[in-house]
Amino acid sequence: MSYVTRLGRLVRLSPLPLFLAALAPTPASAYTDGGDHLTVTVQDAGSGADGTFEVDCHPARGTHPDPAGACAVLERNTRWGKDTFAPVPEGSFCTMLYGGPATAHVTGTWAGRAVDTWFDRSDGCDIARWDRFVPLLPSMGT
């Protein structure tokens, strides 16, 4: 038996490939059974960014200006066991930087969970949270 054959057999019998696969981020599409749907309502963002937009993923479509980009950013922010839309934790130290009056309300279903969350740009932490979701939320040029 050759070295390559023995190595291949060892890899097949080893739990290492399963362990490494478990470390990879789980795509949000693995959580869904027919696609997810979100409604995004943006106010006071200016530059024609205000409005109510629908986005469906898996496949990406809807009235959102960039449904494919919105779905891609949702996928990147989704992790197993974590709330994709979690607010900034209480007691966080945030810069007292005001990012403007823009707000966004996101409702619907994502990764098999109900979503009803608000975004604003009231301090550095909330600005960073908003920016993590661009282009689901409009870019504010920061």
Side-chain angles (χ1 to χ4, degrees):
M1 186 180 308
S2 75
Y3 174 75
V4 173
T5 304
R6 283 189 218 144
L7 182 61
R9 185 176 289 166
L10 179 63
V11 168
R12 282 193 306 269
L13 298 175
S14 169
L16 183 61
L18 293 175
F19 174 75
L20 293 174
L23 293 178
T26 304
S29 58
Y31 303 107
T32 63
D33 58 358
D36 290 310
H37 176 82
L38 295 173
T39 301
V40 181
T41 302
V42 179
Q43 295 179 330
D44 300 319
S47 302
D50 291 354
T52 299
F53 310 98
E54 305 288 326
V55 64
D56 291 289
C57 298
H58 316 111
R61 63 184 182 272
T63 61
H64 189 281
D66 182 5
C71 292
V73 78
L74 289 165
E75 291 277 356
R76 280 193 304 272
N77 282 300
T78 301
R79 298 290 181 267
W80 179 260
K82 303 280 185 179
D83 180 359
T84 303
F85 297 94
V88 174
E90 289 289 323
S92 294
F93 290 100
C94 304
T95 60
M96 297 308 296
L97 179 68
Y98 179 65
T103 61
H105 186 205
V106 179
T107 59
T109 304
W110 177 254
R113 293 182 176 189
V115 175
D116 186 358
T117 191
W118 286 89
F119 290 83
D120 65 38
R121 299 176 60 80
S122 59
D123 63 32
C125 293
D126 285 315
I127 292 170
R129 180 175 177 248
W130 179 294
D131 289 349
R132 275 195 311 274
F133 284 91
V134 171
L136 176 69
L137 303 179
S139 174
M140 302 303 292
T142 55

